[in-house]
Each structure stands twice: as structure tokens, then as C-alpha cells.
Amino acid sequence: MLCLGIETSCDETALALVRNGQCVESVLATQMDIHALFGGVVPELASREHYRFVGALYDELMRRSGLSLQDVDVIAVTRGPGLLGALLVGIAFGKGLALAGNKPLVAVNHLHAHLLAAGLEQKLDYPLLGLLVSGGHTHIYRLDGPDSLVLLGRTLDDAAGEACDKFAKMMGLPYPGGVLLDRLAQRGTPDVHLFPRPYTHVENLDFSFSGLKTAALVYLEAHPGLREEGRLIREQGIDVASPALCNVCASYMLAVAETLSIKMHRALEQKNSAGINGIIVAGGVAANTQVRAAMQNLADTVGKPLLLPSRFLCTDNAVMVAHAGELLAERGFGHDLSFSAIPRGQRIPDDKGRLERTLYPDFLPCR
Ligand code: KG4
Ligand code: ZN
């Protein structure tokens, strides 16, 4: 089955063709430079840029692959979570193609697609425990299959990626902060005691990164030189970074990584995790060096395999959307032209209001 994936949930316009779990071709246009001028993603600009690029990227994808719409068996498009206007551009484009080519459509949950991306590189032996760490989400899931993901824990405030981006911003570093923080941290030595592992004293699987952000703010106020240096790095690049600044970045990232690892360890000890065959870590923050190391450490400790997508598949892309789409279509799922974006996701609490199941309530049989 050849699946065309379309991803426009945030600031990356991406399209890809995937056949039976293998990427045939993919194209991606990032808007990073535009949003960097404003220090963060500007939703209206994001929609306009997706609109400007999506058609040209589709042509480029087909030109590079030597394929045409006739060859496509199913079209998968991200329906959320994400920015409403941005999602609607991809959805409208996908519907247009489906209508023009008389092709079946499947709407994909962006977070599920991140997690299922691990299956493009390794065989997924369900059930699995999944950690999704991105710019907008920090979720722990139990995965029983490509269409059955149970949410076990989530962040109560900032997502892990947001905690990285905001700390970088506090230091005067340019947007997007997470990747830069990673590069600076790799040049430093972490101090385990400098920052807290926030909310880990609470015996549940939820996260809260606000305590870490406050601790970092207090530290930066006591060390104003670091912020001046951050602004210098913005102008002159990371080679002017001092060892002290790199050490602070390494300490902060270690706090994020260990916090994620502590909660994942707890998740593995719960009865919900009985029979778990492995751990998936996905989303933009899964590209982080210290997060990857902490998760490998955890996997080694508990003796479970770690399924970590390569860095390209961690950050936003359409290969993961096409792959999730083909998995769902293979199982008979699909949508008609009436579906719309779900910008904030769709969660269904269980009777205790704690465990949540993220479903696709409006699936129709594939045509
Ligand atoms: O999954 P993603 O590309 O987009 C969303 O769905 O949100 O994740 C983006 C987030 C941003 O917060 C970005 O700073 C963070 O992932 N990120 C990183 C790294 N690469 C991306 N954070 C830390 N280290 C990285 N290497
Ligand atoms: Zn994402």
C-alpha cells in the first residue's frame, strides 16, 4: 500500500510517500527562520507559509519519486493536535487530492504518529510503553496496537520541549532553543544538584516543569553574566560560550532527562505496564542527547529494549504521518470528507477520570 502523508500541524510543511513501512520519498520545508524573528511560532504566519508551500512541495515529492496521484492508495493527513489554521491547510489540501484522485483518506493523530514512527526502523512488538516528548506535549502511553493507545500520564503545565525553549529564551539564546541547548550542553559537565527533578515526589505519572523553570530563573537572576553571554552567543555563535554557561545548560538538560526517566521508571512498575515488551521514546525532545542517554540507561536497568527513532524521525515530519496512515488504513480505518481539525486532541477519560483513552471516534470503514 502506497500512502501519501501530509503534515502541517506547526511550523514544518512536510509530505512523504511510505510503502509497507518503508519511506519512498519525503520533502520538508521548515519555517524556523521566519518564526525565529519573533522568538516563537506565530500561528497566522505558520498557516500562510503552509499555504504558500504545500502545493510546490507536493509537486517536488512526485517529481523526485517519479510517481503520481494515480499510484497513491491512501492519503493520510494530520488532524491534530496543532495550530488550527495550520492544520486546516494540510487537511484542505489532502481532501482536495482525495477528491481529485478519488482516493481514500485517513486522518492521523500527530502524537500517535510520532510514537508509531519507531516502527519505521524496528519491528514493534506490542504492548509497549511510549513517551512522547515534543514542543507541546509530554505524554506517557501504553500502546496495545497502532489504533489503541492509552494515555497514562501527561504534563500539567509546560511540555518538556517548551521547558527547554523557555529556558533558552530566559538565557537570551535564539529560537528554537532546544537544539541549541543540546549543543551547548554537550560541551559542558552537568551538576546533578543544580536544578530539581520537578514533581517527581508526586506518586503519579504526570509531569510539571514549572518548578524547574522557576529554579532556573532564580539561578539566572543570581548570575546575570550568563544572560549577557547568551545574547553574545545570539550574535556571534556558540563558539563564544564559556564552560560555566555550558555546564548550566548540561545541568538543566540533565534535570529534564532525569525527570522523564523517573516517571517512565514509575510507569514501568505499575500494573498497567504488565507484559510491556519495550519502550518507545518519540517527539522532538527525543532527539536530545541527554534524553536519549537517560532513556537508554532506563531501558538497560529494567532490561527492556529501547525503540528510539533516528533524529530525523523524532522531530516533525510527514514520514511518520504516512506510516501511521498506512497502519490505520490496513486495519480498515478511514474518514470521509466531513472530518475537520482537532487542534487540542480528543481525550476520553475513564470512569475514574484518571486514565484517558485517545480514540478516533469518527472512523468510518475505508472505501
Ligand atoms: O515534535 P516536534 O518537532 O514538534 C512538536 O510536535 O512540538 O518537537 C519540537 C520540540 C521543540 O520544543 C524543540 O526545541 C525540541 O522539540 N527539540 C529539542 C531538540 N530537538 C528538538 N529539544 C532538546 N534537544 C534537541 N536536540
Ligand atoms: Zn510533533
Side-chain angles (χ1 to χ4, degrees):
M1 179 185 291
L2 183 70
C3 184
L4 166 68
I6 305 168
E7 160 60 37
T8 63
S9 66
C10 191
D11 57 350
E12 252 102 35
T13 319
L15 289 99
L17 289 163
V18 168
R19 183 185 278 125
N20 305 330
Q22 298 283 323
C23 176
V24 176
E25 193 57 79
S26 76
V27 288
L28 184 147
T30 180
Q31 308 170 2
M32 214 177 271
D33 291 352
I34 295 164
H35 299 296
L37 299 172
F38 301 90
V41 178
V42 183
E44 177 61 22
L45 277 181
S47 314
R48 290 179 191 207
E49 289 300 297
H50 287 308
Y51 186 66
R52 207 152 72 92
F53 283 108
V54 72
L57 281 172
Y58 171 77
D59 290 342
E60 178 64 10
L61 180 75
M62 292 306 179
R63 192 190 62 75
R64 284 196 204 174
S65 64
L67 296 168
S68 74
L69 186 56
Q70 267 63 50
D71 301 308
V72 172
D73 296 306
V74 61
I75 297 168
V77 55
T78 299
R79 80 175 316 183
L83 304 169
L84 177 61
L87 290 164
L88 288 176
V89 175
I91 290 174
F93 191 76
K95 285 182 180 178
L97 288 177
L99 202 57
N102 193 29
K103 301 289 174 185
L105 258 180
V106 59
V108 168
N109 178 314
H110 178 87
L111 308 181
H112 296 187
H114 266 303
L115 289 160
L116 297 172
L120 284 152
E121 295 173 327
Q122 275 147 301
K123 189 181 169 316
L124 302 189
D125 184 12
Y126 298 98
L128 295 160
L129 190 73
L131 173 68
L132 184 271
V133 267
S134 68
H137 298 84
T138 306
H139 284 183
I140 298 179
Y141 288 94
R142 179 189 161 99
L143 289 86
D144 290 308
D147 58 341
S148 180
L149 288 86
V150 182
L151 187 60
L152 304 177
R154 58 198 296 248
T155 182
L156 304 176
D157 41 49
D158 287 351
E162 231 172 331
C164 297
D165 295 342
K166 285 184 181 168
F167 175 65
K169 200 169 181 174
M170 276 189 237
M171 296 239 294
L173 297 170
Y175 170 89
V179 186
L180 192 59
L181 215 54
D182 192 1
R183 289 173 62 204
L184 289 163
Q186 282 182 64
R187 298 176 175 210
T189 309
D191 174 350
V192 189
H193 304 292
L194 195 56
F195 297 119
R197 283 33 181 168
Y199 208 65
T200 50
H201 61 284
V202 182
E203 283 292 324
N204 63 20
L205 304 183
D206 291 331
F207 298 91
S208 166
F209 286 100
S210 55
L212 176 60
K213 249 178 21 190
T214 308
L217 188 63
V218 169
Y219 186 85
L220 291 179
E221 276 170 2
H223 300 84
L226 289 173
R227 285 177 152 166
E228 279 158 33
E229 214 187 300
R231 282 189 282 275
L232 204 65
I233 293 171
R234 194 186 190 108
E235 285 155 23
Q236 300 181 16
I238 72 164
D239 285 340
V240 299
S242 69
L245 184 136
C246 295
N247 293 347
V248 173
C249 292
S251 307
Y252 189 89
M253 276 318 309
L254 186 69
V256 172
E258 288 194 354
T259 302
L260 297 171
S261 166
I262 290 167
K263 291 281 177 162
M264 280 296 277
H265 200 168
R266 194 165 294 159
L268 285 161
E269 286 170 344
Q270 294 208 342
K271 67 174 187 327
N272 272 330
S273 300
I276 288 292
N277 291 326
I279 304 165
I280 297 184
V281 185
V285 182
N288 182 270
T289 313
Q290 279 157 290
V291 170
R292 292 173 91 83
M295 290 303 151
Q296 190 58 62
N297 226 333
L298 171 67
D300 294 345
T301 306
V302 297
K304 308 259 185 214
L306 178 67
L307 308 159
L308 204 50
S310 56
R311 281 185 163 88
F312 163 74
L313 286 174
C314 287
T315 50
D316 283 352
N317 65 86
V319 184
M320 66 183 196
V321 176
H323 182 49
E326 69 169 352
L327 292 173
L328 294 170
E330 273 165 18
R331 284 159 180 77
F333 292 117
H335 286 83
D336 65 13
L337 291 171
S338 68
F339 84 87
S340 192
I342 304 182
R344 294 180 65 84
Q346 190 135 358
R347 299 185 203 100
I348 300 164
D350 74 347
D351 52 3
K352 295 185 195 70
R354 267 285 312 130
L355 199 79
E356 291 177 323
R357 202 175 166 83
T358 310
L359 284 178
Y360 298 83
D362 51 352
F363 268 134
L364 297 171
C366 221
R367 273 188 290 156

PDB file of all heavy atoms in Angstrom, residues 221-244:
ATOM      1  N   GLU A 221      18.917  34.905  37.665  1.00  0.00           N
ATOM      2  CA  GLU A 221      18.872  36.237  38.279  1.00  0.00           C
ATOM      3  C   GLU A 221      20.082  36.442  39.188  1.00  0.00           C
ATOM      4  O   GLU A 221      20.586  37.554  39.312  1.00  0.00           O
ATOM      5  CB  GLU A 221      17.554  36.440  39.030  1.00  0.00           C
ATOM      6  CG  GLU A 221      16.487  36.905  38.043  1.00  0.00           C
ATOM      7  CD  GLU A 221      15.067  36.915  38.588  1.00  0.00           C
ATOM      8  OE1 GLU A 221      14.865  36.594  39.777  1.00  0.00           O
ATOM      9  OE2 GLU A 221      14.173  37.234  37.776  1.00  0.00           O
ATOM     10  N   ALA A 222      20.530  35.345  39.769  1.00  0.00           N
ATOM     11  CA  ALA A 222      21.715  35.437  40.645  1.00  0.00           C
ATOM     12  C   ALA A 222      23.015  35.446  39.831  1.00  0.00           C
ATOM     13  O   ALA A 222      24.080  35.744  40.362  1.00  0.00           O
ATOM     14  CB  ALA A 222      21.709  34.266  41.622  1.00  0.00           C
ATOM     15  N   HIS A 223      22.928  35.086  38.557  1.00  0.00           N
ATOM     16  CA  HIS A 223      24.124  35.044  37.697  1.00  0.00           C
ATOM     17  C   HIS A 223      23.862  35.808  36.398  1.00  0.00           C
ATOM     18  O   HIS A 223      23.758  35.202  35.310  1.00  0.00           O
ATOM     19  CB  HIS A 223      24.507  33.585  37.373  1.00  0.00           C
ATOM     20  CG  HIS A 223      24.819  32.781  38.593  1.00  0.00           C
ATOM     21  ND1 HIS A 223      23.848  32.176  39.354  1.00  0.00           N
ATOM     22  CD2 HIS A 223      26.005  32.489  39.198  1.00  0.00           C
ATOM     23  CE1 HIS A 223      24.409  31.546  40.367  1.00  0.00           C
ATOM     24  NE2 HIS A 223      25.720  31.718  40.294  1.00  0.00           N
ATOM     25  N   PRO A 224      23.728  37.139  36.484  1.00  0.00           N
ATOM     26  CA  PRO A 224      23.335  37.928  35.298  1.00  0.00           C
ATOM     27  C   PRO A 224      24.320  37.818  34.141  1.00  0.00           C
ATOM     28  O   PRO A 224      23.951  38.014  32.979  1.00  0.00           O
ATOM     29  CB  PRO A 224      23.239  39.363  35.821  1.00  0.00           C
ATOM     30  CG  PRO A 224      23.937  39.361  37.147  1.00  0.00           C
ATOM     31  CD  PRO A 224      23.899  37.972  37.680  1.00  0.00           C
ATOM     32  N   GLY A 225      25.556  37.454  34.451  1.00  0.00           N
ATOM     33  CA  GLY A 225      26.571  37.324  33.403  1.00  0.00           C
ATOM     34  C   GLY A 225      26.181  36.283  32.357  1.00  0.00           C
ATOM     35  O   GLY A 225      26.527  36.408  31.175  1.00  0.00           O
ATOM     36  N   LEU A 226      25.444  35.257  32.797  1.00  0.00           N
ATOM     37  CA  LEU A 226      25.054  34.183  31.866  1.00  0.00           C
ATOM     38  C   LEU A 226      24.114  34.706  30.785  1.00  0.00           C
ATOM     39  O   LEU A 226      24.193  34.320  29.629  1.00  0.00           O
ATOM     40  CB  LEU A 226      24.372  33.039  32.625  1.00  0.00           C
ATOM     41  CG  LEU A 226      25.265  32.186  33.509  1.00  0.00           C
ATOM     42  CD1 LEU A 226      24.432  31.206  34.322  1.00  0.00           C
ATOM     43  CD2 LEU A 226      26.304  31.437  32.664  1.00  0.00           C
ATOM     44  N   ARG A 227      23.241  35.619  31.203  1.00  0.00           N
ATOM     45  CA  ARG A 227      22.286  36.185  30.224  1.00  0.00           C
ATOM     46  C   ARG A 227      23.010  37.082  29.220  1.00  0.00           C
ATOM     47  O   ARG A 227      22.680  37.079  28.031  1.00  0.00           O
ATOM     48  CB  ARG A 227      21.209  36.969  30.942  1.00  0.00           C
ATOM     49  CG  ARG A 227      20.208  36.055  31.605  1.00  0.00           C
ATOM     50  CD  ARG A 227      19.216  36.845  32.362  1.00  0.00           C
ATOM     51  NE  ARG A 227      17.959  36.134  32.429  1.00  0.00           N
ATOM     52  CZ  ARG A 227      16.983  36.461  33.250  1.00  0.00           C
ATOM     53  NH1 ARG A 227      17.117  37.480  34.053  1.00  0.00           N
ATOM     54  NH2 ARG A 227      15.869  35.776  33.261  1.00  0.00           N
ATOM     55  N   GLU A 228      23.992  37.835  29.727  1.00  0.00           N
ATOM     56  CA  GLU A 228      24.779  38.679  28.796  1.00  0.00           C
ATOM     57  C   GLU A 228      25.493  37.792  27.784  1.00  0.00           C
ATOM     58  O   GLU A 228      25.555  38.081  26.592  1.00  0.00           O
ATOM     59  CB  GLU A 228      25.793  39.512  29.567  1.00  0.00           C
ATOM     60  CG  GLU A 228      25.153  40.759  30.181  1.00  0.00           C
ATOM     61  CD  GLU A 228      25.962  41.293  31.354  1.00  0.00           C
ATOM     62  OE1 GLU A 228      27.204  41.166  31.314  1.00  0.00           O
ATOM     63  OE2 GLU A 228      25.330  41.796  32.302  1.00  0.00           O
ATOM     64  N   GLU A 229      26.016  36.686  28.308  1.00  0.00           N
ATOM     65  CA  GLU A 229      26.716  35.747  27.426  1.00  0.00           C
ATOM     66  C   GLU A 229      25.762  35.130  26.391  1.00  0.00           C
ATOM     67  O   GLU A 229      26.120  34.931  25.235  1.00  0.00           O
ATOM     68  CB  GLU A 229      27.299  34.629  28.286  1.00  0.00           C
ATOM     69  CG  GLU A 229      28.601  34.114  27.747  1.00  0.00           C
ATOM     70  CD  GLU A 229      29.060  32.906  28.528  1.00  0.00           C
ATOM     71  OE1 GLU A 229      29.276  33.027  29.746  1.00  0.00           O
ATOM     72  OE2 GLU A 229      29.192  31.846  27.915  1.00  0.00           O
ATOM     73  N   GLY A 230      24.531  34.859  26.851  1.00  0.00           N
ATOM     74  CA  GLY A 230      23.513  34.303  25.949  1.00  0.00           C
ATOM     75  C   GLY A 230      23.272  35.234  24.770  1.00  0.00           C
ATOM     76  O   GLY A 230      23.167  34.795  23.624  1.00  0.00           O
ATOM     77  N   ARG A 231      23.213  36.517  25.077  1.00  0.00           N
ATOM     78  CA  ARG A 231      22.979  37.496  23.997  1.00  0.00           C
ATOM     79  C   ARG A 231      24.177  37.549  23.045  1.00  0.00           C
ATOM     80  O   ARG A 231      24.040  37.740  21.843  1.00  0.00           O
ATOM     81  CB  ARG A 231      22.669  38.877  24.588  1.00  0.00           C
ATOM     82  CG  ARG A 231      21.223  38.963  25.080  1.00  0.00           C
ATOM     83  CD  ARG A 231      20.843  40.371  25.463  1.00  0.00           C
ATOM     84  NE  ARG A 231      21.371  40.744  26.765  1.00  0.00           N
ATOM     85  CZ  ARG A 231      20.770  40.469  27.921  1.00  0.00           C
ATOM     86  NH1 ARG A 231      19.616  39.826  27.926  1.00  0.00           N
ATOM     87  NH2 ARG A 231      21.295  40.830  29.066  1.00  0.00           N
ATOM     88  N   LEU A 232      25.372  37.367  23.611  1.00  0.00           N
ATOM     89  CA  LEU A 232      26.584  37.344  22.789  1.00  0.00           C
ATOM     90  C   LEU A 232      26.581  36.130  21.850  1.00  0.00           C
ATOM     91  O   LEU A 232      26.953  36.225  20.671  1.00  0.00           O
ATOM     92  CB  LEU A 232      27.805  37.271  23.722  1.00  0.00           C
ATOM     93  CG  LEU A 232      29.122  37.791  23.177  1.00  0.00           C
ATOM     94  CD1 LEU A 232      29.017  39.293  22.933  1.00  0.00           C
ATOM     95  CD2 LEU A 232      30.253  37.503  24.172  1.00  0.00           C
ATOM     96  N   ILE A 233      26.126  34.998  22.389  1.00  0.00           N
ATOM     97  CA  ILE A 233      26.027  33.769  21.574  1.00  0.00           C
ATOM     98  C   ILE A 233      25.042  33.989  20.419  1.00  0.00           C
ATOM     99  O   ILE A 233      25.273  33.539  19.291  1.00  0.00           O
ATOM    100  CB  ILE A 233      25.588  32.572  22.451  1.00  0.00           C
ATOM    101  CG1 ILE A 233      26.676  32.227  23.450  1.00  0.00           C
ATOM    102  CG2 ILE A 233      25.218  31.354  21.603  1.00  0.00           C
ATOM    103  CD1 ILE A 233      26.289  31.217  24.505  1.00  0.00           C
ATOM    104  N   ARG A 234      23.991  34.725  20.730  1.00  0.00           N
ATOM    105  CA  ARG A 234      22.982  35.035  19.697  1.00  0.00           C
ATOM    106  C   ARG A 234      23.625  35.777  18.526  1.00  0.00           C
ATOM    107  O   ARG A 234      23.319  35.523  17.372  1.00  0.00           O
ATOM    108  CB  ARG A 234      21.945  35.943  20.374  1.00  0.00           C
ATOM    109  CG  ARG A 234      20.698  36.102  19.630  1.00  0.00           C
ATOM    110  CD  ARG A 234      19.805  37.138  20.324  1.00  0.00           C
ATOM    111  NE  ARG A 234      18.529  37.085  19.697  1.00  0.00           N
ATOM    112  CZ  ARG A 234      17.435  36.566  20.261  1.00  0.00           C
ATOM    113  NH1 ARG A 234      17.485  36.131  21.491  1.00  0.00           N
ATOM    114  NH2 ARG A 234      16.312  36.525  19.595  1.00  0.00           N
ATOM    115  N   GLU A 235      24.553  36.678  18.855  1.00  0.00           N
ATOM    116  CA  GLU A 235      25.183  37.473  17.791  1.00  0.00           C
ATOM    117  C   GLU A 235      26.370  36.760  17.149  1.00  0.00           C
ATOM    118  O   GLU A 235      26.591  36.855  15.952  1.00  0.00           O
ATOM    119  CB  GLU A 235      25.676  38.816  18.362  1.00  0.00           C
ATOM    120  CG  GLU A 235      24.543  39.796  18.610  1.00  0.00           C
ATOM    121  CD  GLU A 235      24.878  40.825  19.670  1.00  0.00           C
ATOM    122  OE1 GLU A 235      26.086  41.068  19.910  1.00  0.00           O
ATOM    123  OE2 GLU A 235      23.931  41.357  20.284  1.00  0.00           O
ATOM    124  N   GLN A 236      27.142  36.023  17.968  1.00  0.00           N
ATOM    125  CA  GLN A 236      28.423  35.519  17.455  1.00  0.00           C
ATOM    126  C   GLN A 236      28.513  33.992  17.316  1.00  0.00           C
ATOM    127  O   GLN A 236      29.534  33.484  16.864  1.00  0.00           O
ATOM    128  CB  GLN A 236      29.557  36.030  18.352  1.00  0.00           C
ATOM    129  CG  GLN A 236      29.606  37.549  18.383  1.00  0.00           C
ATOM    130  CD  GLN A 236      30.742  38.071  19.259  1.00  0.00           C
ATOM    131  OE1 GLN A 236      31.654  37.333  19.607  1.00  0.00           O
ATOM    132  NE2 GLN A 236      30.674  39.337  19.614  1.00  0.00           N
ATOM    133  N   GLY A 237      27.489  33.281  17.762  1.00  0.00           N
ATOM    134  CA  GLY A 237      27.528  31.817  17.635  1.00  0.00           C
ATOM    135  C   GLY A 237      28.030  31.132  18.893  1.00  0.00           C
ATOM    136  O   GLY A 237      28.557  31.788  19.805  1.00  0.00           O
ATOM    137  N   ILE A 238      27.928  29.796  18.924  1.00  0.00           N
ATOM    138  CA  ILE A 238      28.156  29.084  20.189  1.00  0.00           C
ATOM    139  C   ILE A 238      29.640  28.942  20.558  1.00  0.00           C
ATOM    140  O   ILE A 238      29.965  28.543  21.664  1.00  0.00           O
ATOM    141  CB  ILE A 238      27.447  27.714  20.238  1.00  0.00           C
ATOM    142  CG1 ILE A 238      28.107  26.685  19.326  1.00  0.00           C
ATOM    143  CG2 ILE A 238      25.989  27.806  19.941  1.00  0.00           C
ATOM    144  CD1 ILE A 238      27.642  25.272  19.690  1.00  0.00           C
ATOM    145  N   ASP A 239      30.530  29.289  19.644  1.00  0.00           N
ATOM    146  CA  ASP A 239      31.943  29.153  19.997  1.00  0.00           C
ATOM    147  C   ASP A 239      32.377  30.134  21.083  1.00  0.00           C
ATOM    148  O   ASP A 239      33.422  29.944  21.703  1.00  0.00           O
ATOM    149  CB  ASP A 239      32.812  29.310  18.735  1.00  0.00           C
ATOM    150  CG  ASP A 239      32.727  28.052  17.882  1.00  0.00           C
ATOM    151  OD1 ASP A 239      32.336  26.998  18.444  1.00  0.00           O
ATOM    152  OD2 ASP A 239      33.009  28.124  16.668  1.00  0.00           O
ATOM    153  N   VAL A 240      31.577  31.189  21.327  1.00  0.00           N
ATOM    154  CA  VAL A 240      31.950  32.141  22.388  1.00  0.00           C
ATOM    155  C   VAL A 240      31.405  31.695  23.757  1.00  0.00           C
ATOM    156  O   VAL A 240      31.647  32.362  24.762  1.00  0.00           O
ATOM    157  CB  VAL A 240      31.463  33.588  22.066  1.00  0.00           C
ATOM    158  CG1 VAL A 240      32.088  34.115  20.794  1.00  0.00           C
ATOM    159  CG2 VAL A 240      29.938  33.671  21.998  1.00  0.00           C
ATOM    160  N   ALA A 241      30.699  30.575  23.806  1.00  0.00           N
ATOM    161  CA  ALA A 241      30.116  30.109  25.078  1.00  0.00           C
ATOM    162  C   ALA A 241      31.205  29.700  26.068  1.00  0.00           C
ATOM    163  O   ALA A 241      32.148  28.994  25.703  1.00  0.00           O
ATOM    164  CB  ALA A 241      29.187  28.927  24.812  1.00  0.00           C
ATOM    165  N   SER A 242      31.055  30.126  27.324  1.00  0.00           N
ATOM    166  CA  SER A 242      32.040  29.771  28.356  1.00  0.00           C
ATOM    167  C   SER A 242      31.723  28.387  28.920  1.00  0.00           C
ATOM    168  O   SER A 242      30.581  27.923  28.831  1.00  0.00           O
ATOM    169  CB  SER A 242      31.974  30.784  29.498  1.00  0.00           C
ATOM    170  OG  SER A 242      30.747  30.622  30.183  1.00  0.00           O
ATOM    171  N   PRO A 243      32.710  27.736  29.551  1.00  0.00           N
ATOM    172  CA  PRO A 243      32.419  26.443  30.194  1.00  0.00           C
ATOM    173  C   PRO A 243      31.318  26.575  31.238  1.00  0.00           C
ATOM    174  O   PRO A 243      30.481  25.671  31.372  1.00  0.00           O
ATOM    175  CB  PRO A 243      33.761  26.072  30.845  1.00  0.00           C
ATOM    176  CG  PRO A 243      34.785  26.823  30.057  1.00  0.00           C
ATOM    177  CD  PRO A 243      34.136  28.094  29.585  1.00  0.00           C
ATOM    178  N   ALA A 244      31.264  27.718  31.955  1.00  0.00           N
ATOM    179  CA  ALA A 244      30.239  27.890  33.003  1.00  0.00           C
ATOM    180  C   ALA A 244      28.840  27.820  32.385  1.00  0.00           C
ATOM    181  O   ALA A 244      27.940  27.161  32.915  1.00  0.00           O
ATOM    182  CB  ALA A 244      30.449  29.220  33.725  1.00  0.00           C
TER     183      ALA A 244
END
